[in-house]
Every structure is written in C-alpha cells, then in structure tokens.
Amino acid sequence: ILDENLAARLGVVPGDRLTVMIPKPNITPFGIEPLYKSFTVSGVFSLGTGFNQQIRSAFINMGDAQRLFQLPGKVSGLRLRVNDVYKAPQIADDLVSKIPPNYTVSDWTVLAGALFEAIKMEKTMMFVILTLIIAVAAFNLISSLVMIVNDKRSDIAIMRTFGARPRTIMNIFMVQGSFVGVIGTLLGVGGGILLALNAPAIVNWLQNSLNITLFEASVYFVDSLPSRLEWGDVMVVSLVALSLSFLATIYPAWSASRTQPAEALRYD
C-alpha cells in the first residue's frame, strides 16, 4: 500500500507490480546478490495535509518484510501511537531512560525538526509583533493621559492649593491610567479567548460563506486552522499588557505632579 505521492512519483496504480530492493547485499556461493522482492500494489492512501505530503510511505505485510530484511521473527523498530500527540517528546524522553542504550527513540517533532523549528520561530516573532502592538496601545494611553493632564491643570492647581501633595496627584493619575489598562487588558484577553476557542468554526464559516480557501495545504502545510488555547501564553501576554500600561502612566502622572498652582491659575 503506497501513499498517493509515492504512487504518483512511481507511476503505479492498484494492481501494478512493484519490485522493492533494499541496500543490503545477500552473500551467496555465487557471489553478492541484491535483496529484492516483487509486490502487488493493492491500494493507495492519502494523509491529507501539506506536511504529510512531504512523506514517502509504503506498507507491506510483516512476514514479507521480515523475509526481505532477513529478520525472521524479529522487527527492526516499533511505532507507538499516543492519545495526546503533544506529549510525544515527553514520552520519548521517558522511554530513553527505560530501554538499553543501543536503541534510539525519536518522535514526530524530531522527524520534522526543521519545519517545527520554523514554526517555533514564527511563534516567537508573533509574540514580538504582539508586544509591539501592545506598545503602540500604551503610547495611545500616554497621549490620552497627557491630554487629560493638560485639560485638568487648573483642577490640579486647585487641589494643590488645598494641600494635596505632588505624590497624591501622581498616584491619582497612575491609578486612572492603570484602571484603563486593566479594563483594556480584560477586554482583550476575553475577546482573544473567545476567538481562540472558536477559530476553526469561524474560519470554516468564512470559507463556506464566501466560497474561498483561506488555507491552501500546499502553501501553509495545513488545510484548516487548528486552535489550542495555551493558558501560559495568555498569562504572559496579559502581564506584558499590564506592565506596559503601568509604565505608560508614569510620565503623565509625573508631569501632573509637577504642576505649579500659580502658573496653572494665571489665566483662569
């Protein structure tokens, strides 16, 4: 049984004969002969996604494989299927410590290491881009607080004449800016969680409604948009947003605390 890519490359269809030769010589009294066996292609399968299209796979009967590779009653390897594919690296590490050292263990993330390193890099860059977007929002918060401070300078001056200390004025504006940052972060996190949980359904609805293909398997290696909510990432993004919001309040609050009553009330 061949995967459709290998079958297309070899130009065979179910019912055709195919000779399999392995790079292992067979030493006989008449000299060295290659090990080969003829098989009938009984079926073709497809793994679907663009990533799996890079794989060249063939399945044959175990007894035939043992005779071909001269391993009577033995196997050269085992493949395990796990319930949670994300735990495959952890399971592989556990197996390494429990089996003899002359055995090797690999998982699907190792077999496609280059691809997943690229995805990891993309995730890192997306985090950097998201941080920059949050920083732009923080600058907007700074400009809003600066405008509020300029608009409230006369009120600040009156509070100063009533005995309010510069630290009190600074704390008022820092609390106001932090409150805006907390509300914005909560709204953003809530909207992001809802979007992440419903992303596959939203993408499918858009594709069906607009009759378009947003994810071409040959380009993006996937033909759908899988979504998995990572609470660790949610916490990191939330802390970054809250931290930048807090830092954005420092300059406007400091500017408000330096307001001189006489100068602010000169033209009022």
Side-chain angles (χ1 to χ4, degrees), residues 82-90 108 226-228 230:
V82 298
N83 294 328
D84 188 351
V85 296
Y86 296 103
K87 291 184 178 179
Q90 178 184 348
W108 61 276
S227 177
R228 182 169 183 253
E230 294 283 352

Side-chain angles (χ1 to χ4, degrees), residues 83-261:
N83 294 328
D84 188 351
V85 296
Y86 296 103
K87 291 184 178 179
Q90 178 184 348
I91 295 174
D93 292 338
D94 294 340
L95 287 176
V96 169
S97 62
K98 297 178 181 178
I99 61 177
N102 57 325
Y103 290 91
T104 60
V105 180
S106 62
D107 59 87
W108 61 276
T109 62
V110 175
L111 297 176
L115 173 62
F116 286 96
E117 284 296 326
I119 294 176
K120 184 178 179 181
M121 177 63 69
E122 290 180 3
K123 182 178 179 180
T124 302
M125 293 306 301
M126 287 300 298
F127 177 77
V128 173
I129 294 173
L130 183 60
T131 302
L132 294 176
I133 294 174
I134 297 174
V136 172
F139 281 117
N140 291 334
L141 180 59
I142 293 175
S143 61
S144 299
L145 289 177
V146 168
M147 293 178 62
I148 293 174
V149 169
N150 292 333
D151 186 56
K152 300 294 184 180
R153 284 198 179 276
S154 59
D155 299 327
I156 296 171
I158 293 174
M159 292 179 64
R160 289 291 307 276
T161 59
F162 286 163
R165 295 178 299 173
R167 180 178 293 274
T168 302
I169 302 298
M170 186 173 181
N171 290 338
I172 290 173
F173 283 93
M174 289 187 69
V175 169
Q176 179 183 2
S178 299
F179 180 76
V180 173
V182 169
I183 295 298
T185 301
L186 290 177
L187 292 175
V189 168
I193 291 175
L194 290 176
L195 181 62
L197 294 176
N198 297 281
I202 294 175
V203 170
N204 291 335
W205 178 79
L206 287 174
Q207 292 186 142
N208 295 331
S209 300
L210 303 178
N211 196 23
I212 59 175
T213 301
L214 297 177
F215 294 93
E216 184 64 38
S218 61
V219 178
Y220 298 104
F221 295 100
V222 293
D223 52 9
S224 62
L225 180 63
S227 177
R228 182 169 183 253
L229 187 61
E230 294 283 352
W231 288 106
D233 293 345
V234 174
M235 293 299 298
V236 170
V237 173
S238 301
L239 290 176
V240 170
L242 291 174
S243 300
L244 291 178
S245 299
F246 176 76
L247 293 175
T249 63
I250 294 178
Y251 172 74
W254 176 79
S255 177
S257 67
R258 291 176 59 85
T259 299
Q260 299 297 326

Side-chain angles (χ1 to χ4, degrees), residues 15-96:
D16 290 349
R17 299 287 294 179
L18 191 65
T19 300
V20 177
M21 182 180 297
I22 63 172
K24 182 179 178 181
N26 183 27
I27 300 177
T28 67
F30 302 100
I32 298 177
E33 295 180 354
L35 290 175
Y36 63 91
K37 185 174 177 60
S38 180
F39 293 91
T40 300
V41 179
S42 60
V44 176
F45 68 92
S46 171
L47 295 176
T49 65
F51 163 67
N52 287 324
Q53 288 177 3
Q54 309 303 316
I55 299 176
R56 301 291 183 262
S57 302
F59 294 93
I60 61 177
N61 179 270
M62 182 176 291
D64 292 334
Q66 290 172 338
R67 287 189 292 272
L68 179 62
F69 287 90
Q70 296 184 337
L71 296 172
K74 300 178 182 179
V75 295
S76 58
L78 295 174
R79 175 172 294 182
L80 304 181
R81 180 177 179 179
V82 298
N83 294 328
D84 188 351
V85 296
Y86 296 103
K87 291 184 178 179
Q90 178 184 348
I91 295 174
D93 292 338
D94 294 340
L95 287 176
V96 169

